[in-house]
Amino acid sequence: QKEVEQDPGPLSVPEGAIVSLNCTYSNSAFQYFMWYRQYSRKGPELLMYTYSSGNKEDGRFTAQVDKSSKYISLFIRDSQPSDSATYLCAMSFPGGSYIPTFGRGTSLIVHP
Amino acid sequence: GAGVSQSPRYKVAKRGQDVALRCDPISGHVSLFWYQQALGQGPEFLTYFQNEAQLDKSGLPSDRFFAERPEGSVSTLKIQRTQQEDSAVYLCASSLDFQGQNSPLHFGNGTRLTVT
């Protein structure tokens, strides 16, 4: 079992839908949680970075962390075709030199 | 430059050949990371530098893989005697702070290595 589990999808939604992307993890030492977006043939780019449990909002994006359940989510409101990409969750902990461990990514397709 | 630059973008190597992949991090960034991303998978950690010191190389899959950052800026990942299973995208990332704490990783667009 990998430390970070993420459904690869693809997840296909109509434009304007609310998207929910999720990851589970097994290592309770993880303290920092990140969501990256990766377009085809590009490197990942950071979308959200959270430390504690709870919600963090940035524009159309909301990141949610539930440490007790070892479960994190990314919500995208009013999804756009330009949101079509692979979304990678990542997490790290101080004992691991903050080196992020990534999930395998979920492919999202937003169709007009 | 404005971002992390990797070269070449694409590399085709015959099995058994040696390859060298280059990463130019963002100027002033202390930390530098190498990741390997297989098709349909997430990035897998290979190695980490803080300035010129290689602090973690636990992810290097075999002794055929070697990385260096001699002057604390540009880094090179070398793969000797390439095998087909080495085919992947090799991503380089840099971050400003010590050990990446509270500092996001900025990724390059990767080098896509195909071993034939």
Short mmCIF file of all heavy atoms in Angstrom, two decimals, chain A residues 74 78 84:
data_model
loop_
_atom_site.label_atom_id
_atom_site.label_comp_id
_atom_site.label_asym_id
_atom_site.label_seq_id
_atom_site.Cartn_x
_atom_site.Cartn_y
_atom_site.Cartn_z
N LEU A 74 -9.83 18.60 -2.25
CA LEU A 74 -9.77 19.86 -2.97
C LEU A 74 -11.10 20.03 -3.69
O LEU A 74 -11.52 19.14 -4.43
CB LEU A 74 -8.62 19.88 -3.98
CG LEU A 74 -8.52 21.15 -4.82
CD1 LEU A 74 -8.04 22.32 -3.96
CD2 LEU A 74 -7.59 20.97 -6.02
N ASP A 78 -17.51 26.27 -9.74
CA ASP A 78 -17.68 26.87 -11.07
C ASP A 78 -16.55 26.41 -12.01
O ASP A 78 -15.81 27.22 -12.57
CB ASP A 78 -17.69 28.39 -10.96
CG ASP A 78 -18.05 29.08 -12.27
OD1 ASP A 78 -18.72 28.44 -13.11
OD2 ASP A 78 -17.60 30.24 -12.47
N SER A 84 -9.18 21.63 -16.76
CA SER A 84 -8.87 20.26 -17.18
C SER A 84 -7.36 20.03 -17.07
O SER A 84 -6.56 20.69 -17.73
CB SER A 84 -9.32 20.04 -18.63
OG SER A 84 -10.72 20.20 -18.74
#
